[in-house]
Amino acid sequence: MSIVSSIYILDDHVQTDGTIWVTEHHTDSDGVVHQHSYQAPPGSVAAFFEARLSASAAWIEGRLAELEAERILNG
Amino acid sequence: MADAYLDNTAGGTPASPYNTYGVNEAHAFQELDLLALSAGDTIWAGSGHSETIAAFVDLDSGSGATPSYPQKLLCVSDPGTNTALVNAPSAYANAAAAYSMRFNGQWYVHGISWELSANSSSSDFIFGNAPSGNHNITISTSKFVLAPNSGSYASFGPASSTSNDNTQITLDSCVFGFKHVGNRLELRNGQHRIHNLSLGGGFLTVPTTLFSGGSGSTFDACVENSDLSGLLFTNLFDATTDACGVFTVRNVKLPVGCVYCAGTMSAPGLRFILDDCTIGTNKVPYYRRYYSGEVKYESKILPNTVSDRMVLAGDSAAYHSIKLEGSANASYLEPLYSDWMHVAIDDTSTAITLFAEILVSGDGAAALNNNQAWIEADIKDAPGIDNNQAHRYSDAPTTVIAAASVQDAGTISWTGHGYSSPRTHRLELGAAVTPAQKGYARVRIALAANTSIYVGKVGVA
């Protein structure tokens, strides 16, 4: 199973300490959306969010493959 | 109970003084896998002990061990007297081939540096390995370095639950080093307490994910008072595994930008709780991740009037709202809840009601019904000084099939949102209740919709 699209959504405001909540949506080939969020440090720019998004997509894809293999092995 | 001695500093033979203990000489050992033990034995390891093992290391206390008489493996700074434990991992044990190091039964281990060196998915640390026995294992001031293979884990508790499993694993002041990005700490069946954990230990490989749940496991795990900022891992906890339990992270320093709880939960049995942590120089007072959504600390969107705001305990200037972000799984039967909040009750002569003021996220957001957002309260209204029973009250529809109604409009204004048409509500118990006991009433907010709300004020009216 692969991730076919990934997007990140910035909260519409920063927190008082300058951090901002970022929500990532990763859609797999079955159409399931895998969502999680993190707090980006103050002053984060697009390159940070994109690198983070790419790392998350790769990780989720790997985990889905592991879980699929586990399901096959365990019936 | 007897003493055994572990030291091969001299190479090939037990080092002095373990080779000159007279009657104890027969109990001097060079390798962990050669130990022949009885319940309650103490193994004294020399701080200079160093061994490379080509076998499984099974530290098995035997069925006769009890919590009162755990077997102990203690690294001492002065093996001549055995009066002082080392204050850093000292004695060294290395599994150089595809073997695991496993701890079973009742153990107290101190001051050992453990390493897995073979590139093998079969090389693991397993704290509580046997699937049909009880384990009570405490390990302090020790170091664990995982193997250079993605399948090499440190596993807490047995993999499969049986009726005999009753496992508690406690790690105090231990450090984990990694040699593959796929290494991780796996939380399996049992209760696991990890205190003063640190990462690295001279190994610079960064695991992608630090913790995950073991497939099919049930656990209650807690990491406290730890500095995990030494390695910039991507995910603190992997929620994708089909595990059940609670993972609590409290008073922990985390790397900047890490995802606290990554991936998608498969069912409501898994709960992630984070309190009083930091990322870099920024505080994370609380965060929750459940099947039904996330609970986040919000410091910008607040009630406009200072007196209407909530503050963090112990910091009267730390204003916050509680943001509830309902996932697609949030429903009337599986709502996203805030934590319980306590409201002091000092008057048992007057009927009260409890309320919360909320702001719905988004400009011009639609109004919420009382089956989408509501307040719940546990109030001790049963008469009699010896009756401490509380009853639960709510302004939600009484049953899942009862008709819903639109929640009342809010009575306070909010700041920090930038909305031209903010949607606010006041959630309030439908009828006043007269408390029969002084003490605390408990209040929480429920969200049963795939939307977000800010909870700004909770009080008594």
Side-chain angles (χ1 to χ4, degrees), chain B residues 28-341:
Chain B
F29 297 92
Q30 300 168 44
E31 291 186 10
L32 283 165
D33 61 312
L34 301 178
L35 291 169
L37 299 172
S38 300
D41 285 355
T42 297
I43 308 158
W44 302 99
S47 59
H49 175 76
S50 177
E51 64 176 288
T52 295
I53 310 161
F56 283 103
V57 173
D58 282 313
L59 293 182
D60 192 341
S61 70
S63 59
T66 69
S68 303
Y69 297 102
Q71 287 189 180
K72 296 185 279 291
L73 169 57
L74 307 175
C75 185
V76 288
S77 54
D78 180 3
T81 61
N82 293 336
T83 54
L85 297 178
V86 295
N87 56 18
S90 299
Y92 175 70
N94 174 27
Y99 296 108
S100 293
M101 292 173 160
R102 302 178 292 206
F103 305 78
N104 293 315
Q106 310 281 349
W107 275 95
Y108 179 72
V109 177
H110 178 95
I112 312 293
S113 180
W114 310 84
E115 182 170 3
L116 304 170
S117 291
N119 181 1
S120 169
S121 62
S122 301
S123 290
D124 299 307
F125 295 113
I126 306 179
F127 310 115
N129 177 59
S132 58
N134 297 336
H135 307 279
N136 185 4
I137 298 165
T138 298
I139 302 176
S140 63
T141 315
S142 291
K143 178 177 172 180
F144 298 90
V145 180
L146 288 155
N149 187 286
S150 64
S152 175
Y153 306 150
S155 297
F156 293 68
S160 57
S161 181
T162 74
S163 58
N164 292 322
D165 282 338
N166 185 333
T167 295
Q168 175 174 273
I169 309 298
T170 304
L171 263 60
D172 187 359
S173 303
C174 291
V175 57
F176 279 84
F178 306 93
K179 290 188 267 187
H180 193 285
V181 297
N183 292 155
R184 60 181 186 244
L185 312 186
E186 188 176 56
L187 305 171
R188 306 198 305 198
N189 293 291
Q191 172 175 269
H192 313 306
R193 295 290 177 263
I194 304 171
H195 173 260
N196 193 24
L197 174 68
S198 58
L199 305 177
F203 292 83
L204 300 179
T205 299
V206 180
T208 304
T209 299
L210 190 57
F211 289 95
S212 68
S215 181
S217 294
T218 299
F219 57 81
D220 174 2
C222 183
V223 178
E224 297 177 309
N225 310 330
S226 299
D227 183 355
L228 306 184
S229 64
L231 296 177
L232 303 179
F233 54 82
T234 306
N235 306 310
L236 173 60
F237 180 67
D238 168 12
T240 61
T241 309
D242 194 14
C244 176
V246 182
F247 183 38
T248 304
V249 180
R250 184 181 296 117
N251 300 334
V252 170
K253 187 175 178 182
L254 297 166
V256 167
C258 74
V259 175
Y260 308 140
C261 185
T264 302
M265 290 182 175
S266 57
L270 185 60
R271 300 161 66 83
F272 177 85
I273 293 173
L274 184 148
D275 280 321
D276 287 332
C277 291
T278 57
I279 48 170
T281 58
N282 300 106
K283 290 183 178 179
V284 187
Y286 56 83
Y287 171 79
R288 308 281 183 266
R289 175 88 185 274
Y290 306 132
Y291 181 66
S292 51
E294 294 173 278
V295 181
K296 296 176 177 175
Y297 171 78
E298 169 61 46
S299 60
K300 187 69 177 291
I301 296 180
L302 302 166
N304 198 36
T305 303
V306 169
S307 60
D308 285 339
R309 296 175 183 173
M310 293 191 288
V311 296
L312 294 175
D315 187 351
S316 60
Y319 301 122
H320 73 110
S321 300
I322 302 165
K323 187 179 186 186
L324 302 180
E325 291 187 5
S327 73
N329 301 316
S331 68
Y332 178 87
L333 297 174
E334 185 58 42
L336 172 63
Y337 284 114
S338 71
D339 284 5
W340 285 106
M341 293 167 271

